[in-house]
Each structure stands twice: as structure tokens, then as C-alpha cells.
């Protein structure tokens, strides 16, 4: 039976639909001539804003440069080309730092896998100028965090101590810590998990066994295998509602490469990401015209991934930015329910049970000596109720 499911694209801004069309082909001018209605009443300032918001200007700029001014205004092409060049220099700068950090960690025998940054652009696009990155994300074993912190501090990196914790909940509730170099203006995110918990994910040892070596720099640095990269990109993009189109482009580029789909599907099932993987494939297929193989389609032929794909369009209709606080209340509420819908039944149960584990707010509400912090477990329901009562009384 032919699957006739189609995403409902009503209320997607016209400027964003034009961007989708341009991203579908290496010759967007030809596609646009077939759909001239997309150029009617375009707000080009909004077009620019959307290309910046979705971080797709490095891919769009080379395409727009070849198009006539009758189609795209010259000032639009010039602005995006300027951003393209700026990003190229930024990625070269980060590449240099990535090589230095890689050498430094290798010398101290700290196993290191780079997750994002120039290495991801190189692995997916074959050209670091075609993807944006504002920092370097890397993964190390949790037992190496203290050693890594000392090493980074010696190099001038300063830790952003934003994590509040009680009873070591940081180990599973959080997944990375941030360091910033005030002179170099470079941010590093050192991960000990791929994603925040609670949730099941591959151990560092398993990721390390499947890792690949990148030839981006003269010193060999490590990157996730294609199968693990798919898991990471899917979970990361879905967790952010695919609110930046760049994450869908990453998935499309990865699908162009040779992958072991039997292994990929086993990993998706094991780590409860099967439906999320299907969501990503539906979005890439319908928004970016990526043809799916039979093995890929096996992930999409179910109700859940279709519903999840449709839910993700909310973030395109609203131009949601989850990275800038405060997030509007209506969007925060939608995102909270959306994240819950991504979870498998088992994951939902674990997530609900995690509320029974003490939070740092419990310690703030009733400070106790560290030796008796275990009392926060039986006290948590009462402390939660007390905070709710106080909140209602003050409102």
C-alpha cells in the first residue's frame, strides 16, 4: 500500500517555503521558475531573518550567487555572502583550536570524541564553510571530567559554574559543562552524555569502539560513527523541535553517506529513538525532497512518527527560538508537552519517576547538612507542595 501521508504546511511563512524550495536543489532557479507564486509578495528582510535564524545561509549563499537579480535582490545576496565569509573564518579558527585541544587531551591520555563544530561540517558537507558553529562540542568519559577541567584551566579556559546539584543529580540530569576562553573568545562544551537525562543512551566505551578518525586536521581527531552520529543528530534535533532547519540539513547530508541501516535501526530501538528517527526522516523527505530507501521507510510507516513530524511544524510556523530566555509561556508550554510526546512508554515512566529524586530547589527550601541529604527523598513531596503553596499565595 502506498503511504499517502503529507505534512500540513498551512501557515508556514511564504519566505520559509521559498527557503525550503531553494534548499531542495543545487539549481534552485530552475525549481523557482516552476513555482513563480513563491516569489510573489516576498518580504526580503524576513527572508534574511529566517536564513539567519535557521542557520542555513552558508548553504544558500553559493546558490543565490548564481541567480539573477530578477529573482533575488542584490542586497540580499551581498548580505548573505558577507555572512558566509564571516562564518568561513570562524570555522577555520575553530578548526585550529579543535586540533590543539585534540593534541592536548591525547597527551594527557583523555579519550575524546568531537560531536559538533568544524568536524561535523567536514564529515557531513565535505566543506567546513557550509555549516555554522559557535563553539566546540566534545565527549569524554565522566571519570575524566576533573582531569579535563584542570587541563583546560591551565590553558586559560574558565568554567561556567551554572549547574546546581544535590545528591550528584548533575551526573544524569545534565549532560555537559561549558568553558569559555576570554582571550580567544572560544566556547567549549564538554559532554559526558550525548543528551540530558533521564534516558538510556550508548555508553562512552561503546561509542569509542565504533568511533571514526577524521582527516580534517593534521593531527587525527575522533568523531562518532555514522550510525551513532544519526542517533545523536536525531535526538538533538528532536529535543529542540527541529526549530533550526540546519539540523534537518545535517540529517539529509548524513543520509547521502554509506550507513549500516540494520545496525542503525537496532540502536534506535535499543535507545528508544525509533519513532524520533522516523520523525526526522519524514521531515527530511517532505521538506527537503530527500528520497528514502526501503530500509529508511521502515521507520516512517507508523502513526507516531507522522504525528511527531506534524507537531514539529509548530516551531517553523512560530519561528521559535528556544535558546533565548525567556521563552514565551505559550511556547514553553507547547514544548514541554512536545518533549513528553517524543518519549517511549518506558522513557515516560522513568521521566515521571525522576521527579521523586531530590532537586536543588529542595535544598534551597530546607537547607540540611550534607550528611543527611538522603532525607530529601522522603521530604521531597512536602517541600514541593510547600513551594507551590507559597507561589500561589504570592501570586
Amino acid at each position: 500500500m502506498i503511504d499517502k501521508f503529507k505534512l500540513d504546511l498551512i501557515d508556514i511563512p511564504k519566505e520559509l517555503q521559498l527557503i525550503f524550495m531553494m534548499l531542495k536543489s543545487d539549481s534552485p532557479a530552475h525549481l523557482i521558475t516552476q513555482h513563480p507564486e513563491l516569489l510573489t509578495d516576498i518580504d526580503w528582510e524576513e527572508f534574511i531573518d529566517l536564513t539567519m535564524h535557521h542557520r542555513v545561509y552558508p548553504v544558500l549563499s553559493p546558490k543565490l550567487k548564481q541567480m539573477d537579480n530578477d529573482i533575488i535582490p542584490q542586497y540580499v545576496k551581498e548580505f548573505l555572502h558577507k555572512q558566509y565569509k564571516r562564518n568561513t573564518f570562524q570555522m577555520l579558527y575553530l578548526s585550529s583550536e579543535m586540533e590543539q585541544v585534540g593534541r592536548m587531551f591525547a597527551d594527557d591520555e583523555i579519550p575524546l570524541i568531537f560531536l559538533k563544530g568544524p568536524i561535523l561540517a567536514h564529515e557531513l558537507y565535505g566543506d567546513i564553510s557550509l555549516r555554522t558553529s559557535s563553539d566546540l562540542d566534545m565527549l569524554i568519559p565522566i571519570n575524566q571530567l576533573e582531569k579535563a577541567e584542570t587541563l583546560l584551566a591551565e590553558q586559560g579556559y574558565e568554567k561556567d559554574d551554572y549547574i546546581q546539584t544535590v545528591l550528584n543529580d548533575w551526573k544524569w540530569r545534565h549532560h555537559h559543562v561549558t568553558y569559555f576562553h576570554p582571550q580567544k573568545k572560544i566556547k567549549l562544551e564538554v559532554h559526558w552524555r550525548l543528551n540530558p537525562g533521564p534516558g538510556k543512551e550508548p555508553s562512552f566505551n561503546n561509542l569509542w569502539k565504533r568511533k571514526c578518525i577524521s582527516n580534517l586536521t593534521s593531527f587525527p581527531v575522533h568523531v562518532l560513527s555514522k550510525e551513532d552520529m544519526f542517533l545523536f543528530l536525531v535526538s538533538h534535533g528532536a529535543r529542540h523541535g527541529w526549530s533550526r532547519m540546519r539540523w534537518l540539513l545535517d540529517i539529509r547530508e548524513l543520509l547521502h553517506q554509506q550507513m549500516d541501516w540494520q545496525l542503525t535501526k537496532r540502536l534506535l530501538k535499543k535507545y528508544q529513538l525509533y519513532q524520533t528517527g522516523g520523525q526526522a526522516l519524514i521531515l527530511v523527505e517532505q521538506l527537503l525532497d530527500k528520497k528514502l530507501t526501503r530500509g529508511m521507510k521502515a521507520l516512517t510507516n507508523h502513526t507516531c512518527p507522522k504525528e511527531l513530524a506534524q507537531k514539529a511544524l509548530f516551531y517553523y510556523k512560530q519561528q521559535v527560538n528556544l535558546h533565548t530566555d525567556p521563552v514565551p509561556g505559550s511556547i514553553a508550554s507547547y514544548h514541554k508537552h512536545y518533549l513528553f510526546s517524543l518519549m517511549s512508554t518506558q522513557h515516560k515512566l522513568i521521566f515521571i519517576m525522576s521527579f521523586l529524586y531530590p532537586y536543588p530547589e529542595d535544598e534551597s527550601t530546607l537547607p540540611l547538612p550534607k550528611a543527611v541529604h538522603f532525607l530529601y527523598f522522603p521530604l521531597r513531596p512536602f517541600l514541593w507542595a510547600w513551594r507551590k503553596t507559597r507561589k500561589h499565595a504570592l501570586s
Side-chain angles (χ1 to χ4, degrees):
M1 182 181 293
I2 298 175
D3 188 352
K4 295 182 179 179
F5 172 75
K6 291 292 182 184
L7 292 170
D8 181 0
L9 301 180
I10 293 176
D11 297 329
I12 297 288
K14 198 168 189 178
E15 290 77 13
L16 188 53
Q17 292 191 41
L18 178 60
I19 292 173
F20 280 134
M21 187 64 68
M22 291 178 171
L23 291 171
K24 287 178 180 181
S25 170
D26 292 331
S27 303
H30 176 68
L31 281 176
I32 290 173
T33 55
Q34 297 177 342
H35 302 274
E37 70 280 0
L38 286 177
L39 290 172
T40 306
D41 300 325
I42 289 292
D43 181 338
W44 290 108
E45 293 297 331
E46 178 68 8
F47 177 87
I48 289 174
D49 287 345
L50 285 167
T51 60
M52 299 299 292
H53 168 75
H54 288 287
R55 307 294 195 267
V56 294
Y57 59 88
V59 175
L60 278 181
S61 179
K63 295 181 179 183
L64 301 188
K65 199 173 180 183
Q66 303 169 10
M67 298 171 69
D68 296 334
N69 291 346
D70 293 340
I71 300 176
I72 308 295
Q74 182 65 20
Y75 79 91
V76 174
K77 294 195 287 187
E78 289 176 355
F79 176 83
L80 294 183
H81 183 62
K82 181 179 178 181
Q83 299 303 314
Y84 170 85
K85 289 196 295 183
R86 180 196 58 78
N87 178 66
T88 301
F89 289 125
Q90 167 74 1
M91 295 297 271
L92 288 169
Y93 185 48
L94 288 176
S95 296
S96 174
E97 185 67 9
M98 183 185 71
E99 181 172 359
Q100 291 184 42
V101 171
R103 287 180 183 274
M104 185 169 62
F105 276 55
D107 289 343
D108 261 38
E109 299 182 336
I110 301 176
L112 171 65
I113 299 174
F114 282 98
L115 299 174
K116 291 190 292 181
I119 197 167
L120 187 59
H122 175 73
E123 295 300 312
L124 295 181
Y125 300 85
D127 184 342
I128 62 172
S129 69
L130 294 180
R131 191 185 189 276
T132 67
S133 186
S134 59
D135 52 28
L136 293 173
D137 291 59
M138 52 205 215
L139 180 72
I140 64 173
I142 191 169
N143 61 5
Q144 297 287 338
L145 281 174
E146 190 173 338
K147 189 176 179 182
E149 182 173 336
T150 301
L151 194 59
L152 290 172
E154 291 172 353
Q155 300 301 314
Y157 277 95
E158 299 174 357
K159 183 180 180 181
D160 183 359
D161 253 329
Y162 61 88
I163 294 178
Q164 295 180 314
T165 184
V166 63
L167 292 166
N168 287 325
D169 68 333
W170 64 271
K171 292 184 178 181
W172 57 272
R173 280 201 167 115
H174 296 272
H175 65 303
H176 69 73
V177 65
T178 303
Y179 296 87
F180 184 74
H181 199 295
Q183 281 75 47
K184 296 181 178 180
K185 307 298 182 186
I186 289 178
K187 184 172 75 171
L188 298 181
E189 286 190 358
V190 180
H191 293 239
W192 59 91
R193 289 176 55 93
L194 295 177
N195 295 291
K200 191 178 179 183
E201 65 175 41
S203 67
F204 182 88
N205 286 340
N206 284 335
L207 295 173
W208 186 255
K209 288 175 185 176
R210 293 190 291 264
K211 72 182 184 305
C212 298
I213 296 177
S214 173
N215 61 3
L216 172 59
T217 56
S218 58
F219 181 81
V221 289
H222 299 106
V223 64
L224 294 172
S225 70
K226 295 295 185 287
E227 295 77 19
D228 288 321
M229 190 181 292
F230 185 77
L231 262 69
F232 173 59
L233 294 178
V234 160
S235 58
H236 180 270
R239 181 162 52 87
H240 291 88
W242 302 103
S243 53
R244 284 186 177 148
M245 207 185 310
R246 176 187 65 188
W247 296 321
L248 284 182
L249 281 179
D250 290 344
I251 296 293
R252 186 183 71 177
E253 295 307 309
L254 181 55
L255 295 180
H256 288 157
Q257 302 188 21
Q258 198 70 30
M259 288 175 59
D260 182 340
W261 272 97
Q262 292 305 314
L263 172 60
T264 301
K265 286 190 281 189
R266 288 200 300 271
L267 292 172
L268 288 170
K269 285 182 178 178
K270 182 176 181 179
Y271 299 109
Q272 301 168 31
L273 290 169
Y274 203 81
Q275 309 296 353
T276 311
Q279 176 202 35
L281 293 175
I282 290 171
L283 290 170
V284 170
E285 179 186 36
Q286 297 201 27
L287 298 180
L288 296 174
D289 267 5
K290 170 58 185 170
K291 285 183 168 47
L292 304 183
T293 65
R294 181 178 298 179
M296 297 174 193
K297 280 187 174 292
L299 278 71
T300 68
N301 294 328
H302 305 279
T303 301
C304 185
K306 295 172 185 175
E307 292 177 347
L308 292 177
Q310 188 62 50
K311 286 180 179 180
L313 295 187
F314 167 85
Y315 299 89
Y316 293 135
K317 296 173 184 178
Q318 303 290 326
Q319 193 178 335
V320 172
N321 187 350
L322 297 171
H323 294 79
T324 302
D325 291 325
V327 176
S330 60
I331 290 175
S333 177
Y334 182 92
H335 190 60
K336 178 181 176 181
H337 289 92
Y338 162 79
L339 288 177
F340 192 70
S341 71
L342 289 176
M343 301 177 190
S344 67
T345 301
Q346 183 183 354
H347 192 180
K348 285 175 180 175
L349 289 173
I350 295 172
F351 177 73
I352 292 169
M353 289 176 63
S354 74
F355 287 110
L356 300 175
Y357 199 99
Y359 278 76
E361 291 90 332
D362 298 321
E363 185 180 15
S364 301
T365 304
L366 180 64
L368 292 174
K370 196 167 185 178
V372 293
H373 273 190
F374 64 90
L375 292 176
Y376 286 125
F377 281 99
L379 287 172
R380 171 147 174 75
F382 304 101
L383 296 174
W384 175 84
W386 169 254
R387 286 196 298 272
K388 286 291 183 182
T389 304
R390 291 276 297 170
K391 185 177 179 181
H392 286 306
L394 294 173
S395 61

